[in-house]
Amino acid sequence: MARKSILTQLNKVFISITLLVIIIASIFAFTSQKMLVASNAILRADLPLEMAIESMNSTLKAMQTNAALYLLGYEDQKQQYQVNLALLQSTKQTISHQKLLTNNEQINAFYQVNQLSNAINQQYQTLIFDVYSPEDEKAAKQIAANLLENNAKPLEKIIDFRAQDEIKGSQESSDEEELRYDDIPAIHYYLQLVDEAGDMQNALASYLLNDKNAKQEFDENGEAFVKWLTLLEPLEQDEDEVADITHIKQLFEQLLDGGYQLFNLYNPESLASATHAFNQLKQTHIADIEQQMSVLLNSTSNQVVSQLEDLKSTNIGSIILLALFAMITIILLISLSFYTKRTIYLPIEKLAKSVDALRLGERNIQFIHNDDELGDVFKNVEKFQHDLRQLDALQKNEAQYKLQLELERDKLQQALNTLQQAQKKLINSEKMASLGALVAGISHEINTPIGIAVTISSTFESRVKEFVTQARTGQLNLSDLEMFEQESLEGLVIMQKALNRAAELIHSFKQVAIDQSSNQRRSFLLDEMLNEVFNTLKHQIKRSTYTVSIDCPADIMMDSFPGPFGQVITNLFNNAIIHGFDGAQTGDISVKVYLEENDKIKLQFNDNGIGIPVSHIDKIFDPFFTTKLGQGGSGLGMNIVYNIVNNILGGDISVTSHNGTTFTLIIPIIAPK
């Protein structure tokens, strides 16, 4: 019997399919030719005009967007506006030169669009681009930032230092006259200087927010600063005090000069004026030009619809022809299906059943096959059946080895569970140690304002006794009464500020301690939580020159776990002090928060310390990994941070090290359930 080739049978199928393709291609060629003749009218007449109008419409909208973005501070949009203006002029010239306007309605609408676009361009130039400059606004903001960093902060720092020195001296002094006429007035004047310097900073910020009274407030605060400094100078006679007063004058003069430079450079009202002009244009000229563009588009669309009606009749004829040949094609495909099933599908189905039986464990299948390519496959499957018999014997031996491996796995799992329990105990110990350090630091920090209040109250007590004695003996006169009143009020002001500071520290400690001792979920303002945590940590760097800066929007309301979040910030802070600065004399820590998409925030915790070696970057979050073993490092701090961020807060954390170390946290505003 001659060998039957499946390839020969498939060739028959392919020849049949090829014939069908040729027939259908002929139909499409015929209908395409008919449609091409009908569509040439659209392509040569109305379509170029419609495309040009759409281009003009999109260009006008782009110009409007350029002006809007320019008002939002994007300087490059002015140049992009000129590019779009040139494109608009080019499109209008194309319409005119190619004579694409075919009726009076289109001509009148195009004329109105041309006139309105020229008027809009003129007003954009004179009322927006010539009035407001984002570069001047950015320069003014940069001046304000430089004044804050280089003048205002150092000024407040040196004044606060001198005030603390005076408070310390008043606590140690036993000379009542010096305390009354030197120390207490000096403390009062220094505190007034701090307030006036802070008000000058606020005035600069208010000016950038278009506060019309900010400039006057800046001048008044500057005059008040000079007044208090004049009263203070006669009281400061030591060499160090005189030098600090001179430095305070220099910083104040620089702050004053920088403020006037900002006022001369930028006027916030220019942005409001340009924005008002932009809104007026949207309500008048832009609305008119959109109406005229709509008229142009409708006129052109009506002509296109007319041409499409001509194509409709051609399509109907094509559909009838395609339906006829589709019926013929279905009949041919049914015939091909029966032929393919008998010659190919049934042998393959039989082979598949045999393979399923082998998979289910049958090993005595009888294979009957033809002398063709599928027959060769049957022979190979028959050989495979013989190989499976040998494989079954090997599997019995494998089962015994598998049982032994499972016993060893159970032992290893038990050891792993024991290790995880020990790790949890160490993590809890680390958290309690952090809370204990918080209690000790806050207790030390509260001593300063409480000490000030005690000193003032003691002085006030002795002064009251003296006043009562004078009153009883009849030696009290009007000048003594006025002096007693002035000294009492000044002492009470200082005592009130000291007690308010103590209350603030206690409130921060209370909230942070409650949060860190529990994992309760609540809503909280992110900037307030960060300030409370850092208030409890400042005692660690009080006697050093380390600085901490927080840059966080004031309106981010979190629905999360403040306790674990605060633990993350505390551990990152301790990591920077112990590992980042490593005993260095100076160091800067900054925390910056940005709003991200999908209701998330990005928090960057950065220090300018020695950084992390490349070989340690991938191990930084591993448990028990530390370079300070036995020197204050447990190896669990960063592992706790990683687990809290990923498992509790539902976020992600990464670390980079270049000129210091930066930890980046991506955390959802609403923590997962």
Side-chain angles (χ1 to χ4, degrees):
M1 183 176 179
R3 178 182 175 92
K4 295 181 179 180
S5 175
I6 295 177
L7 180 61
T8 302
Q9 300 176 40
L10 291 176
N11 285 335
K12 295 178 182 179
V13 175
F14 292 150
I15 291 172
S16 300
I17 294 174
T18 302
L19 292 174
L20 289 174
V21 171
I22 292 173
I23 293 172
I24 294 173
S26 299
I27 295 173
F28 274 108
F30 172 77
T31 56
S32 296
Q33 178 63 28
K34 295 287 292 181
M35 294 178 68
L36 180 62
V37 173
S39 63
N40 278 337
I42 296 175
L43 295 176
R44 293 176 181 176
D46 299 302
L47 187 58
L49 177 59
E50 186 170 6
M51 292 176 63
I53 295 171
E54 288 291 347
S55 176
M56 287 177 59
N57 195 19
S58 61
T59 304
L60 285 168
K61 291 181 178 179
M63 291 166 64
Q64 182 180 356
T65 302
N66 294 145
L69 291 175
Y70 181 81
L71 292 176
L72 292 176
Y74 296 90
E75 182 72 19
D76 60 330
Q77 292 301 312
K78 183 175 181 179
Q79 181 178 0
Q80 187 61 39
Y81 174 88
Q82 297 298 330
V83 174
N84 288 324
L85 176 62
L87 179 60
L88 176 65
Q89 299 296 344
S90 175
T91 304
K92 291 192 291 185
Q93 291 177 2
T94 299
I95 293 175
S96 300
H97 292 167
Q98 295 185 4
K99 299 180 180 179
L100 299 179
L101 303 173
T102 58
N103 57 56
N104 292 332
E105 183 181 21
Q106 292 177 349
I107 293 172
N108 292 333
F110 179 77
Y111 175 80
Q112 293 295 327
V113 169
N114 185 46
Q115 295 296 321
L116 288 170
S117 63
N118 291 336
I120 290 173
N121 174 58
Q122 181 65 28
Q123 295 195 30
Y124 274 154
Q125 294 290 348
T126 57
L127 300 180
I128 296 177
F129 294 117
D130 295 340
V131 171
Y132 168 69
S133 173
E135 287 296 324
D136 291 344
E137 183 180 9
K138 292 178 181 177
K141 291 181 178 179
Q142 185 61 44
I143 290 174
N146 291 337
L147 289 175
L148 175 64
E149 188 65 27
N150 300 326
N151 298 101
K153 286 185 177 179
L155 181 60
E156 288 185 349
K157 184 175 181 182
I158 190 172
I159 294 173
D160 184 69
F161 171 79
R162 295 306 324 165
Q164 295 297 327
D165 185 68
E166 289 293 336
I167 292 172
K168 182 178 179 182
S170 67
Q171 293 174 344
E172 297 174 353
S173 175
S174 59
D175 187 349
E176 185 175 344
E177 290 294 320
E178 181 180 0
L179 182 65
R180 179 187 304 173
Y181 298 106
D182 188 335
D183 294 336
I184 292 178
I187 292 171
H188 173 67
Y189 298 150
Y190 276 121
L191 293 177
Q192 291 296 332
L193 289 177
V194 170
D195 290 341
E196 298 301 335
D199 291 341
M200 292 177 73
Q201 297 177 50
N202 295 334
L204 289 177
S206 300
Y207 179 80
L208 292 176
L209 296 176
N210 200 15
D211 185 353
K212 298 180 179 180
N213 298 323
K215 186 175 181 182
Q216 181 180 355
E217 291 175 359
F218 183 86
D219 293 333
E220 292 173 354
N221 292 327
E223 292 174 1
F225 188 98
V226 173
K227 181 188 75 174
W228 294 114
L229 185 60
T230 303
L231 294 174
L232 177 65
E233 283 186 279
L235 302 179
E236 303 296 311
Q237 301 300 328
D238 292 343
E239 182 178 353
D240 293 338
E241 295 172 343
V242 173
D244 286 343
I245 290 295
T246 302
H247 193 195
I248 289 172
K249 288 183 177 179
Q250 293 175 350
L251 292 173
F252 168 73
E253 291 174 357
Q254 292 172 0
L255 177 61
L256 202 62
D257 293 340
Y260 289 134
Q261 181 184 359
L262 186 150
F263 297 147
N264 293 330
L265 174 64
Y266 173 66
N267 183 2
E269 292 182 359
S270 62
L271 176 59
S273 173
T275 303
H276 176 73
F278 178 80
N279 292 330
Q280 288 293 108
L281 283 174
K282 286 179 62 177
Q283 297 173 4
T284 56
H285 290 71
I286 293 178
D288 294 338
I289 200 170
E290 287 178 350
Q291 180 180 0
Q292 294 302 322
M293 292 296 295
S294 177
V295 172
L296 267 176
L297 284 174
N298 289 336
S299 176
T300 307
S301 298
N302 291 336
Q303 292 192 14
V304 172
V305 169
S306 176
Q307 297 293 338
L308 290 176
E309 290 293 333
D310 295 336
L311 290 176
K312 182 178 179 180
S313 59
T314 303
N315 286 334
I316 292 174
S318 301
I319 290 172
I320 294 174
L321 289 175
L322 287 174
L324 176 63
F325 282 99
M327 294 177 61
I328 297 173
T329 302
I330 291 172
I331 295 172
L332 291 175
L333 288 175
I334 292 173
S335 301
L336 290 173
S337 174
F338 280 110
Y339 178 76
T340 304
K341 179 178 180 181
R342 181 175 59 84
T343 57
I344 299 176
Y345 174 74
L346 291 178
I348 292 178
E349 182 182 26
K350 181 179 179 181
L351 179 62
K353 291 180 179 179
S354 299
V355 172
D356 287 339
L358 288 175
R359 182 175 56 82
L360 295 175
E362 179 65 35
R363 297 293 184 265
N364 296 310
I365 301 174
Q366 297 295 325
F367 292 96
I368 300 174
H369 49 80
N370 297 323
D371 186 14
D372 54 18
E373 289 86 347
L374 285 175
D376 296 337
V377 175
F378 275 98
K379 291 178 182 179
N380 291 328
V381 173
E382 190 173 14
K383 293 179 182 178
F384 179 65
Q385 178 180 240
H386 179 266
D387 294 336
L388 287 176
R389 293 193 188 102
Q390 297 179 347
L391 182 61
D392 290 341
L394 294 175
Q395 286 179 342
K396 292 180 180 179
N397 296 330
E398 182 184 3
Q400 297 178 354
Y401 291 115
K402 183 177 180 181
L403 179 60
Q404 184 177 359
L405 289 173
E406 288 178 350
L407 293 174
E408 295 295 333
R409 182 198 62 191
D410 293 340
K411 293 180 181 179
L412 291 173
Q413 184 64 41
Q414 184 177 1
L416 178 60
N417 292 338
T418 302
L419 181 61
Q420 289 176 343
Q421 292 176 0
Q423 181 181 356
K424 290 180 180 179
K425 292 180 180 180
L426 288 173
I427 290 174
N428 289 332
S429 299
E430 180 80 6
K431 292 175 66 176
M432 294 307 297
S434 175
L435 192 58
L438 171 63
V439 173
I442 286 297
S443 299
H444 176 76
E445 190 71 11
I446 291 175
N447 283 339
T448 297
I450 295 297
I452 294 172
V454 169
T455 299
I456 297 301
S457 65
S458 298
T459 304
F460 188 61
E461 179 183 8
S462 63
R463 187 68 183 94
V464 168
K465 290 179 179 179
E466 180 183 345
F467 176 79
V468 171
T469 301
Q470 289 177 338
R472 288 178 177 175
T473 58
Q475 298 177 0
L476 183 66
N477 53 43
L478 182 59
S479 62
D480 292 332
L481 179 61
E482 291 176 349
M483 181 177 296
F484 175 75
E485 179 186 7
Q486 181 181 1
E487 292 175 351
S488 299
L489 292 176
E490 291 177 352
L492 287 174
V493 169
I494 296 173
M495 185 186 301
Q496 185 180 9
K497 289 185 177 180
L499 292 176
N500 286 339
R501 174 57 180 165
E504 179 185 350
L505 290 171
I506 291 171
H507 173 74
S508 298
F509 163 71
K510 178 181 177 181
Q511 188 60 60
V512 173
I514 289 173
D515 288 337
Q516 292 196 5
S517 61
S518 67
N519 286 343
Q520 286 188 345
R521 178 184 185 135
R522 66 180 177 87
S523 297
F524 58 94
L525 286 171
L526 181 57
D527 65 324
E528 289 184 359
M529 188 276 289
L530 292 175
N531 285 317
E532 287 171 353
V533 171
F534 278 104
N535 277 340
T536 64
L537 297 174
K538 285 183 179 178
H539 68 277
Q540 299 186 31
I541 59 174
K542 184 176 181 181
R543 300 188 181 278
S544 66
T545 57
Y546 299 154
T547 62
V548 177
S549 63
I550 302 175
D551 183 4
C552 175
D555 58 349
I556 299 179
M557 178 64 72
M558 303 285 290
D559 180 8
S560 189
F561 301 89
F565 205 146
Q567 183 69 34
V568 168
I569 299 300
T570 300
N571 285 12
L572 292 176
F573 178 84
N574 292 334
N575 185 74
I577 298 299
I578 296 173
H579 299 281
F581 299 146
D582 196 19
Q585 295 299 318
T586 60
D588 297 324
I589 295 175
S590 67
V591 179
K592 295 184 178 180
V593 179
Y594 307 91
L595 274 173
E596 297 286 293
E597 295 179 352
N598 301 323
D599 293 330
K600 293 184 178 181
I601 59 119
K602 178 169 74 172
L603 186 148
Q604 289 185 328
F605 190 102
N606 174 264
D607 67 75
N608 61 346
I610 60 176
I612 303 174
V614 177
S615 59
H616 293 171
I617 285 288
D618 295 333
K619 304 176 183 178
I620 191 69
F621 297 117
D622 292 348
F624 307 111
F625 174 77
T626 180
T627 58
K628 296 287 186 180
L629 188 60
Q631 305 175 33
S634 64
L636 288 174
M638 300 313 298
N639 182 250
I640 291 174
V641 168
Y642 182 84
N643 288 328
I644 290 175
V645 172
N646 285 270
N647 300 328
I648 298 179
L649 303 181
D652 185 48
I653 184 171
S654 60
V655 58
T656 57
S657 183
H658 180 68
N659 294 330
T661 303
T662 300
F663 290 91
T664 301
L665 288 71
I666 304 297
I667 298 174
I669 293 178
I670 301 177
K673 301 295 183 181

